[in-house]
Amino acid sequence: MTKQVKDRTKETETWKQDADYNVGDMVPYKITVDVPSNITRLKEFTLTDTPKNLDDKVDTVKVTYKKADVEVDVEAKAYSVEKKDGEHGFKITFVTTEMADYAGKQLVITYNAKLLPTAVTSTDGNTNRAKLEYSNKILPGQDDPDNPNKPENPDTKPGKDYIENTTIVYTFGLQVLKKGEQAD
């Protein structure tokens, strides 16, 4: 998994680990996730985005993949996006049983976040962390008595692993208000 922020100073679309924006700006983000080939056998595959001093705009979240060199939307039944009240981030829960078409492919998640007036102007910047959690063991079905890997305890759940990646947005705390003169 790789998380990047768009460089607003470049004329061409350039993505990197850090960028500078003004307070009030909409900051474009991109997360690239390699889907494991055994995705349909995993119990969990979730992505959580946790920004500081930024507010993720859930309505801008788009999940795509390349099919014959064309960006195609991932079917809505394969994932859900949730933003909890009072929080600025979001969580994408992938429905692993619906992910067969994306096994071994690379998903690209894009969205925008607004840089809030609470943004820090220090050299630490304003972080935005993505965390991909996935089950690290494939457990057999509880109703499969012939499988030698069947756990003794029916309440056994697979363990989890995760990957994290963080981007930083720097600001000087300026909020720009554009005004124009009306022509007579």
Side-chain angles (χ1 to χ4, degrees), residues 23 53-54 116-120 126:
V23 169
N53 301 310
L54 292 138
L116 300 172
T118 57
V120 296
N126 302 280

Side-chain angles (χ1 to χ4, degrees):
M1 178 192 69
T2 305
K3 179 171 183 147
Q4 298 175 308
V5 60
K6 188 174 181 183
D7 185 346
R8 72 177 178 93
T9 64
K10 303 288 183 192
E11 288 184 27
T12 59
E13 192 167 289
T14 303
W15 297 89
K16 53 193 229 173
Q17 290 303 118
D18 59 358
D20 66 307
Y21 281 86
N22 297 315
V23 169
D25 282 353
M26 290 303 254
V27 182
Y29 285 96
K30 175 173 82 169
I31 301 172
T32 306
V33 176
D34 291 327
V35 178
S37 58
N38 66 346
I39 185 69
T40 58
R41 297 180 60 205
L42 297 181
K43 303 297 182 200
E44 180 181 351
F45 199 71
T46 60
L47 178 94
T48 304
D49 195 73
T50 312
K52 288 191 179 172
N53 301 310
L54 292 138
D55 184 25
D56 290 343
K57 300 302 176 188
V58 174
D59 60 332
T60 66
V61 173
K62 187 174 183 179
V63 183
T64 61
Y65 73 103
K66 281 201 179 200
K67 183 176 183 179
D69 292 332
V70 176
E71 288 290 322
V72 179
D73 290 341
V74 169
E75 292 182 66
K77 69 180 181 177
Y79 69 96
S80 63
V81 181
E82 173 188 10
K83 183 169 185 167
K84 294 182 181 170
D85 289 339
E87 294 185 15
H88 294 292
F90 63 84
K91 181 177 183 177
I92 297 177
T93 303
F94 291 95
V95 182
T96 59
T97 57
E98 297 291 338
M99 296 286 293
D101 291 344
Y102 315 108
K105 294 190 171 39
Q106 197 171 65
L107 300 184
V108 177
I109 301 158
T110 56
Y111 64 96
N112 294 322
K114 185 175 184 177
L115 187 57
L116 300 172
T118 57
V120 296
T121 57
S122 71
T123 56
D124 294 336
N126 302 280
T127 60
N128 194 339
R129 179 177 59 114
K131 182 177 184 178
L132 178 68
E133 293 181 275
Y134 54 94
S135 52
N136 63 6
K137 293 180 184 170
I138 301 168
L139 292 181
Q142 299 297 325
D143 58 348
D144 185 0
D146 297 326
N147 191 319
N149 297 318
K150 183 176 178 181
E152 298 287 327
N153 182 349
D155 295 328
T156 300
K157 297 195 185 315
K160 282 194 224 179
D161 277 334
Y162 66 90
I163 301 168
E164 288 184 325
N165 201 318
T166 302
T167 58
I168 301 173
V169 171
Y170 298 100
T171 186
F172 297 104
L174 300 175
Q175 188 164 5
V176 178
L177 176 61
K178 294 181 183 178
K179 290 188 176 186
E181 292 183 28
Q182 286 187 332
D184 292 333

